[in-house]
Amino acid sequence: MQILRSFVDDLGLYFLFLKEVFSTFCKSPPEKKYIYSQVLKVFQSSLLTTSFSGFFVGAIMTIQFAMQIKMFGASGYLGGLSTSGTVREVGPLLIAFLLSGKVGAYTSAELGSMKVSEQIDAIRCLGANPIQEIILPRFIGIILASFFLLVYGILFAFYGGVLMSYIFADVNTLEYVRHVPTIMTGISLFSGVFKSIVFAFAIASLCTFYGYKASGGAKAVGKAVVSTSVACMFSIVILDWFTTLIVDVINRWL
Amino acid sequence: MSRILEFQNIKKSFSGREVLKGISFEVNKGDIVFILGTSGTGKSVLLKNLVGLLRPDSGAIIWHDKDISQYSEEQYLEVRKNCCLVFQQPALFDSMTLYENIAFGLRRLTNLNEEELDKQVRDSLKAVDLKEEILSLKPAAISYGMQKRLSIARSLCLNPEILLFDEPTTGLDPVSTQAINQLIFRLSRKYDTTSIVVSHDMHCALDIADYIIVLDKGKIVEQGDVDKIKCSEVPLVKDFLQEVLDANS
Ligand SMILES: Nc1ncnc2c1ncn2[C@@H]1O[C@H](COP(=O)(O)OP(=O)(O)OP(=O)(O)O)[C@@H](O)[C@H]1O
Ligand SMILES: [Mg+2]
């Protein structure tokens, strides 16, 4: 009961927070240079990890498919199947998990420690709006950077797939690529991009929310980080299911 | 003497627990007011109510004959420019250099050009006895005591009408403590700056305060000038006074 109540409380506070962020964005948007520097910071710090994880996601998918497909002698379709699966589902999901751990945890810890050390209060006292100067650049920066990182990670997944199919399934690059357009249709591509945007938004909003909400000493910072990780994982899984439904509806409608 | 600020029956609760239970007092221009009290009686909450970081549940805060407690966030800008709060923690922005830390408020609350701003930053740094070499460092590179003094400089540079200090000397060595207290005294006498100082230090309150308020469990148990406090019969005040005597002997 207690857990349910605090969950509902948090949910309410989260939407109030979103409302405040949006109204501040409309009234007084942050300076562009602050957003750029956030995008750059997130991008730099996560580029390497994203490349690696993207590469291995693609590799795993290809090996999995290769084992099944060989039995039917349809190795030619390996590239198409594995790329499509990576782009539309597994790529965004796994890379979003990784980013929620890396970018999400970092940002909520950063904001949480600013909050408990009274820096956020000091910003207000010195005539600035913390939502405009601290939250919004991170919020927008993380959405942009995560989106680019997700797309970039998916590209690496493709390379991973190419390499693994060559090593483990004796499918050369040309053969691998040939059937990609046949199986990976526009809707797969749309699904991947759509999911990336939704996941990026979830990570950005949750980590800034929990960081900004922290109060009461160093322990609160740890709590904010844990809450961010848990909330990100949960919401990414749920949003994955939800976006799959939407993509399915759109697919049937087309 | 003109009255500059008045608290009228301020009450504040957090999730049903009453922290301030009706606080009323007045502050005259140029005075140094000390607010003493044990830990957790709501001293910081009181100061935060004045600058609008928290809002009182009931009561009024009169500043220049206007009730500011119901001001909007925009209207509060005017108040924050003239009533600067020095926080209990240094609260420096750790991604900025110390120079940018001090200039932060100046850039947002005043229209100074770069040259005037630079002078203002250096002057306030000198006022708190810090060297200019440190201006290019980040907060993590200087000691806690220096951070606290820098946070005073950050408020000082705005030339506010009222300076609010939340335990400015807690955690400092005796020499720095003495220097900060002298600074508060000098500001008040030289520039007619009004200071409200939250503290545990009865000794220095007796030294420099014009008016002393003693809080206990969210209520004022005694207030008056130094002579009145010295003859007080309230147990908590006597405890505070006893400690000063013990320290002296
Ligand atoms: N934002 C808040 N939310 C909930 N409770 C709070 C909040 N701020 C303060 N309190 C509570 O109000 C009480 C008074 O806190 P306050 O910080 O004013 O004490 P203080 O007199 O400044 O003590 P200290 O000398 O330790 O700084 C404490 O019990 C604290 O838990
Ligand atoms: Mg306090």
Side-chain angles (χ1 to χ4, degrees):
Chain A
M1 207 57 215
Q2 188 66 36
I3 295 175
L4 196 70
R5 228 183 91 185
S6 77
F7 172 75
V8 174
D9 278 353
D10 272 12
L11 203 66
L13 288 172
Y14 172 72
F15 283 110
L16 284 177
F17 172 77
L18 280 188
K19 189 178 144 237
E20 201 182 341
V21 169
F22 281 122
S23 69
T24 309
F25 179 71
C26 297
K27 261 190 301 188
S28 41
E31 283 182 48
K32 287 210 181 64
K33 64 172 185 204
Y34 293 135
I35 301 179
Y36 289 144
S37 77
Q38 283 299 327
V39 172
L40 209 66
K41 203 169 106 188
V42 174
F43 210 74
Q44 276 174 346
S45 69
S46 306
L47 201 60
L48 205 66
T49 18
T50 314
S51 328
F52 265 108
S53 58
F55 184 86
F56 282 104
V57 168
I60 294 164
M61 285 294 278
T62 304
I63 295 174
Q64 289 295 333
F65 274 115
M67 294 193 287
Q68 320 285 326
I69 258 177
K70 257 189 193 160
M71 293 192 290
F72 302 101
S75 295
Y77 289 103
L78 179 61
L81 276 177
S82 123
T83 310
S84 160
T86 312
V87 169
R88 66 184 298 159
E89 178 64 52
V90 185
L93 185 69
L94 285 182
I95 299 169
F97 272 152
L98 182 102
L99 285 178
S100 78
K102 179 135 187 162
V103 182
Y106 176 83
T107 309
S108 64
E110 188 189 22
L111 290 174
S113 72
M114 286 180 86
K115 184 75 187 299
V116 302
S117 65
E118 298 183 314
Q119 288 180 51
I120 304 258
D121 282 342
I123 287 174
R124 280 173 73 188
C125 277
L126 294 169
N129 179 349
I131 299 272
Q132 182 197 2
E133 302 218 4
I134 304 294
I135 303 295
L136 269 173
R138 285 174 176 72
F139 199 101
I140 301 171
I142 293 174
I143 291 182
L144 292 177
S146 305
F147 173 69
F148 289 132
L149 282 169
L150 282 166
V151 173
Y152 172 86
I154 292 170
L155 272 180
F156 260 81
F158 180 70
Y159 300 142
V162 170
L163 196 69
M164 287 305 133
S165 66
Y166 181 70
I167 296 173
F168 286 100
D170 269 338
V171 177
N172 66 31
T173 311
L174 220 59
E175 204 177 336
Y176 186 88
V177 175
R178 195 175 52 197
H179 279 297
V180 170
T182 351
I183 297 179
M184 201 189 74
T185 49
I187 196 79
S188 304
L189 209 60
F190 168 77
S191 167
V193 173
F194 179 53
K195 281 184 185 196
S196 299
I197 295 174
V198 173
F199 295 162
F201 183 86
I203 295 170
S205 59
L206 285 168
C207 70
T208 47
F209 167 68
Y210 278 110
Y212 192 61
K213 190 170 85 83
S215 82
K219 219 172 121 189
V221 180
K223 218 179 126 207
V225 175
V226 173
S227 304
T228 306
S229 308
V230 174
C232 278
M233 300 279 176
F234 265 114
S235 52
I236 287 171
V237 175
I238 293 170
L239 285 170
D240 188 48
W241 165 77
F242 194 64
T243 44
T244 308
L245 274 188
I246 293 177
V247 170
D248 191 45
V249 169
I250 293 174
N251 195 14
R252 261 184 263 168
W253 192 60
L254 284 175
Chain B
M1 272 212 216
S2 60
R3 199 184 61 204
I4 190 171
L5 189 70
E6 186 180 350
F7 283 74
Q8 293 177 343
N9 203 18
I10 294 295
K11 292 186 178 160
K12 177 78 188 170
S13 312
F14 290 108
S15 45
R17 197 166 52 91
E18 204 167 33
V19 173
L20 298 179
K21 302 172 182 161
I23 304 276
S24 307
F25 65 92
E26 294 177 7
V27 178
N28 288 323
K29 187 162 174 50
D31 269 6
I32 300 175
V33 177
F34 265 69
I35 300 178
L36 302 177
T38 47
S39 231
T41 49
K43 303 181 298 295
S44 301
V45 173
L46 187 66
L47 291 187
K48 284 182 184 168
N49 271 301
L50 173 57
V51 292
L53 292 174
L54 295 169
R55 301 297 170 99
D57 298 334
S58 68
I61 301 172
I62 312 291
W63 178 64
H64 288 301
D65 301 322
K66 277 178 289 207
D67 180 10
I68 58 171
S69 61
Q70 302 306 323
Y71 269 20
S72 69
E73 193 72 14
E74 280 88 37
Q75 285 174 304
Y76 251 110
L77 283 184
E78 192 56 32
V79 180
R80 288 175 188 156
K81 194 169 146 188
N82 292 297
C83 308
C84 286
L85 172 59
V86 179
F87 287 87
Q88 191 164 352
Q89 304 174 48
L92 300 175
F93 309 128
D94 32 41
S95 59
M96 298 179 193
T97 62
L98 298 178
Y99 186 95
E100 283 306 318
N101 262 285
I102 302 182
F104 191 93
L106 287 171
R107 290 195 202 286
R108 284 159 181 84
L109 290 168
T110 65
N111 307 317
L112 300 179
N113 61 32
E114 276 304 311
E115 206 173 309
E116 293 164 327
L117 189 137
D118 188 68
K119 183 171 177 306
Q120 197 77 352
V121 169
R122 286 168 205 280
D123 283 353
S124 55
L125 195 73
K126 210 182 290 163
V128 294
D129 283 323
L130 289 175
K131 298 205 173 57
E132 290 194 4
E133 290 95 84
I134 64 167
L135 278 175
S136 58
L137 300 176
K138 293 268 175 78
I142 61 174
S143 74
Y144 179 77
M146 287 163 104
Q147 289 182 12
K148 275 205 95 149
R149 280 189 274 165
L150 204 104
S151 79
I152 294 176
R154 186 172 66 179
S155 296
L156 206 59
C157 68
L158 291 163
N159 285 329
E161 180 175 39
I162 307 180
L163 264 168
L164 310 162
F165 295 93
D166 197 347
E167 305 192 14
T169 56
T170 307
L172 295 189
D173 61 283
V175 178
S176 308
T177 303
Q178 189 63 20
I180 300 269
N181 288 328
Q182 284 312 312
L183 173 73
I184 296 170
F185 187 71
R186 230 172 36 235
L187 285 170
S188 152
R189 295 300 173 257
K190 205 163 149 195
Y191 303 104
D192 223 14
T193 309
T194 310
S195 302
I196 301 179
V197 187
V198 163
S199 167
H200 303 289
D201 188 355
M202 181 59 110
H203 181 74
C204 114
L206 293 176
D207 257 0
I208 64 171
D210 296 301
Y211 199 82
I212 298 177
I213 294 167
V214 182
L215 277 187
D216 189 24
K217 302 196 185 76
K219 275 202 175 116
I220 295 183
V221 291
E222 182 68 290
Q223 58 179 322
D225 54 20
V226 173
D227 293 331
K228 185 176 172 201
I229 295 292
K230 274 181 176 164
C231 320
S232 171
E233 288 299 320
V234 179
L236 180 70
V237 183
K238 283 171 116 177
D239 286 349
F240 268 116
L241 288 169
Q242 188 60 43
E243 255 178 63
V244 178
L245 287 179
D246 290 348
N248 283 349
S249 59

